[in-house]
């Protein structure tokens, strides 16, 4: 008794020094305990058979329960025998449930932050939803970065992998939104803007941004695109792709569907190129000194031709866009915005196949590429002239979006 009395103050001191758990950790711990409890208890109290006297009830209302109870007991007996496959399956299902819960918590946190930012006027360039209504649901929003001078490029995509007219609307009904993304000229309402007005009236496939177009403003355009896209569509993923890249929409959506239950996902072909300090060279970085000594390389980030981020990350950019620093190169800027967060970087090489014969050989081998371009040109070299031939050689065919996306969603 004396020994216990002496130990009690020490235990109280240790308890006093214990750090409180975060709300998110408590939710995850509770969920884990719940699923482990289901695994161990076998839900016996919920599946108890009816009293022996109620024969009619057992045959009518409780027949399915008895069958389920019997099946569950048999399943429990197999687990008790220590079958490694059964145990691993249960652990895998529990892990998937925890992952799904973690994503739900992350999405709720971001939605709450967005609402707070809206109330405080912190969304900056965001496009508000009409009359306060929730934006329409989608699986993925694909924004094709384009410029005033790129009409021929846009037409080459409309002739190949970007649907037109009613096919574009039907694709959107399936949850896949595709838009050409463009801002306005330095003189709004001028000839350049009017030309886009005419083209948009015919095609209805533009997303117009409150942004002044310019090559050296790509980081700002990317930031504004994600901000506006989050406010316009409630999607699981937001993709940015250049207008000189070939994309197989079915393969892209099926690959993104693999990460649907995971929070804070950043998908692309990850690279770490050199920081170029010499003035006058392409991709010169004026703020090279921030990346260390001369000759250093950038942190790992997705190459700028095509990449995707999950909803919670796009919401983060939307909320914080006024204070997100812009480097000279747009892909570096996005990587910098995400590098300090709890983000899963997914290096998906299917998003950076080379043009034929590379993507053609992979297609023949059954590994259809999600996106193809030429590294030497940072896109498809002479894309207007070559896009149709590349689509013929490497395209996935009609109906691939519905088939691949449906199969991935079911899995």
């Amino acid at each position: 008794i004396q020994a216990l009395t002496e130990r009690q103050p020490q235990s109280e001191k240790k308890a006093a020094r214990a750090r409180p758990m975060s709300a998110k950790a408590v939710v995850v711990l509770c969920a884990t305990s719940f699923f482990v409890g289901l695994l161990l208890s076998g839900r016996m109290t919920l599946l108890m058979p009816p009293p022996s006297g109620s024969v009619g009830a057992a045959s009518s209302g409780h027949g399915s329960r008895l069958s389920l109870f019997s099946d569950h007991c048999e399943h429990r007996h197999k687990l008790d025998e220590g079958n490694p496959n059964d145990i691993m399956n249960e652990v895998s299902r529990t892990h998937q449930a925890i992952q799904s819960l973690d994503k739900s918590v992350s999405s709720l946190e971001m939605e709450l932050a967005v609402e707070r930012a809206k109330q405080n006027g912190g969304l900056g360039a965001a496009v508000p939803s009409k009359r306060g209504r929730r934006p329409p649901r989608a699986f993925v929003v694909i924004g094709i970065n384009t410029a005033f001078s790129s009409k021929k490029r846009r037409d080459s995509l409309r002739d190949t992998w970007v649907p037109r007219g009613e096919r574009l609307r039907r694709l959107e009904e399936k949850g896949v939104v595709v838009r050409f993304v463009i801002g306005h000229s330095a003189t709004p309402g001028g000839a350049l803007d009017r030309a886009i007005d005419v083209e948009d009236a015919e095609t209805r496939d533009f997303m117009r941004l409150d942004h002044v177009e310019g090559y050296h403003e790509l980081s700002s355009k990317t930031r504004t695109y994600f901000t506006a896209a989050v406010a316009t569509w409630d999607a699981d993923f937001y993709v940015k792709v250049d207008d000189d890249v070939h994309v197989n929409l079915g393969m892209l959506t099926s690959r993104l569907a693999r990460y649907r239950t995971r929070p804070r996902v950043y998908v692309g072909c990850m690279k770490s190129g050199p920081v170029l300090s010499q003035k006058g060279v392409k991709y010169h970085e004026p703020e090279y000194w921030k990346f260390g000594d001369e000759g250093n390389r950038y942190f790992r980030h997705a190459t700028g031709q095509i990449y995707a981020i999950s909803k919670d990350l796009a919401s983060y950019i939307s909320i914080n866009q006024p204070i997100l620093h812009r480097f000279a190169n747009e892909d570096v800027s996005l990587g910098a915005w995400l590098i300090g967060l709890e983000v899963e970087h997914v290096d998906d090489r299917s998003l950076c196949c080379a043009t034929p014969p590379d993507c053609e050989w992979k297609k023949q081998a059954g590994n259809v590429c999600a996106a193809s371009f030429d590294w030497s040109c940072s896109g498809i070299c002479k894309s207007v002239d070559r896009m149709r031939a590349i689509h013929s050689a490497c395209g996935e065919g009609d109906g691939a979006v519905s088939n691949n996306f449906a199969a991935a969603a079911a899995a």
Side-chain angles (χ1 to χ4, degrees):
I1 297 174
Q2 183 178 359
L4 289 174
T5 307
E6 291 175 354
R7 290 178 183 176
Q8 187 174 0
Q10 296 178 1
S11 301
E12 293 177 353
K13 290 179 181 178
K14 290 181 179 179
R17 290 195 299 267
R19 298 176 60 185
M21 297 178 66
S22 66
K24 186 173 181 180
V26 171
V27 172
V28 174
L29 181 60
C30 289
T32 305
S33 302
F34 174 73
F35 287 111
V36 172
L38 289 180
L39 176 62
L40 297 179
S41 67
R43 299 188 293 275
M44 294 292 289
T45 57
L46 295 177
L47 301 173
M48 287 296 292
S52 57
S54 53
V55 179
S59 60
S60 58
H62 296 284
S64 59
R65 290 189 185 180
L66 283 171
S67 176
L68 181 60
F69 175 76
S70 175
D71 293 342
H72 186 77
C73 286
E74 183 179 353
H75 175 67
R76 174 101 183 263
H77 178 67
K78 290 181 179 179
L79 285 180
D80 290 341
E81 290 178 351
N83 188 320
N85 291 333
D86 292 340
I87 295 175
M88 289 306 299
N89 287 337
E90 291 290 340
V91 172
S92 177
R93 282 195 288 269
T94 302
H95 179 66
Q96 291 174 1
I98 293 173
Q99 273 193 333
S100 179
L101 180 63
D102 191 22
K103 181 176 178 65
S104 299
V105 171
S106 175
S107 296
L108 288 173
E109 288 176 343
M110 280 299 175
E111 287 179 8
L112 179 60
V114 168
E115 291 303 319
R116 286 174 177 170
K118 285 180 180 178
Q119 294 175 5
N120 297 330
L123 282 183
V127 177
S129 57
K130 296 181 180 179
R131 298 181 182 178
R133 291 199 300 263
R134 188 180 184 88
R137 276 288 299 154
F139 170 66
V140 59
V141 175
I142 302 171
I144 306 172
N145 184 43
T146 191
F148 290 114
S149 59
S150 299
K151 186 178 187 306
K152 289 184 178 180
R153 285 187 177 184
R154 292 191 291 272
D155 286 340
S156 72
L157 298 192
R158 294 181 182 117
D159 291 339
T160 52
W161 64 268
V162 175
R164 293 175 181 260
E166 185 58 29
R167 291 179 59 221
L168 185 66
R169 302 287 87 79
R170 289 200 301 268
L171 185 66
E172 190 166 331
E173 291 174 358
K174 293 182 174 71
V176 181
V177 178
V178 183
R179 293 289 188 274
F180 288 101
V181 180
I182 196 166
H184 57 78
S185 66
T187 56
L192 295 175
D193 298 295
R194 291 197 301 272
I196 296 297
D197 292 338
V198 173
E199 186 179 347
D200 190 25
E202 178 185 352
T203 61
R204 298 294 182 187
D205 56 6
F206 277 92
M207 180 180 181
R208 311 288 287 272
L209 301 179
D210 183 12
H211 164 80
V212 179
E213 282 292 324
Y215 179 79
H216 297 292
E217 297 297 328
L218 288 180
S219 292
S220 293
K221 185 176 182 179
T222 300
R223 191 177 61 179
T224 304
Y225 158 63
F226 285 125
T227 300
V230 166
T232 308
W233 293 281
D234 178 21
D236 292 323
F237 291 96
Y238 298 86
V239 174
K240 176 264 173 183
V241 58
D242 290 338
D243 61 5
D244 56 354
V245 173
H246 180 266
V247 176
N248 280 317
L249 292 174
M251 184 55 61
L252 175 63
T253 53
S254 67
R255 297 191 78 84
L256 291 179
R258 300 178 181 182
Y259 314 110
R260 186 172 209 161
T261 61
R262 303 184 191 177
R264 300 177 299 280
V265 179
Y266 173 32
V267 186
C269 288
M270 300 295 164
K271 67 174 185 178
S272 178
V275 180
L276 302 178
S277 59
Q278 302 89 349
K279 289 184 179 181
V281 300
K282 192 176 183 180
Y283 307 127
H284 166 62
E285 179 57 72
E287 297 180 271
Y288 62 90
W289 60 273
K290 289 185 178 180
F291 296 92
D293 297 331
E294 187 174 349
N296 276 2
R297 304 179 73 84
Y298 288 114
F299 41 77
R300 193 72 59 179
H301 62 279
T303 188
Q305 287 84 354
I306 181 172
Y307 50 73
I309 58 176
S310 55
K311 173 186 175 181
D312 38 20
L313 296 183
S315 297
Y316 169 82
I317 293 173
S318 173
I319 295 166
N320 298 285
Q321 59 95 14
I323 59 171
L324 294 177
H325 185 70
R326 296 162 295 162
F327 289 101
N329 300 302
E330 154 253 337
D331 53 353
V332 173
S333 293
L334 179 66
W337 301 338
L338 305 180
I339 193 67
L341 307 180
E342 284 292 339
V343 172
E344 179 181 0
H345 288 60
V346 178
D347 184 20
D348 191 337
R349 310 314 288 184
S350 176
L351 292 174
C352 53
C353 295
T355 54
D358 179 62
C359 59
E360 186 176 13
W361 289 342
K362 289 176 179 176
K363 177 184 175 181
Q364 293 171 357
N367 300 316
V368 178
C369 294
S372 304
F373 56 88
D374 298 310
W375 284 101
S376 59
C377 296
S378 297
I380 295 176
C381 302
K382 299 181 180 179
S383 64
V384 172
D385 300 328
R386 299 176 59 214
M387 188 64 70
R388 188 181 292 275
I390 292 172
H391 185 67
S392 177
C394 303
E396 59 196 348
D398 296 335
V401 176
S402 300
N403 296 337
N404 290 359
F405 184 46

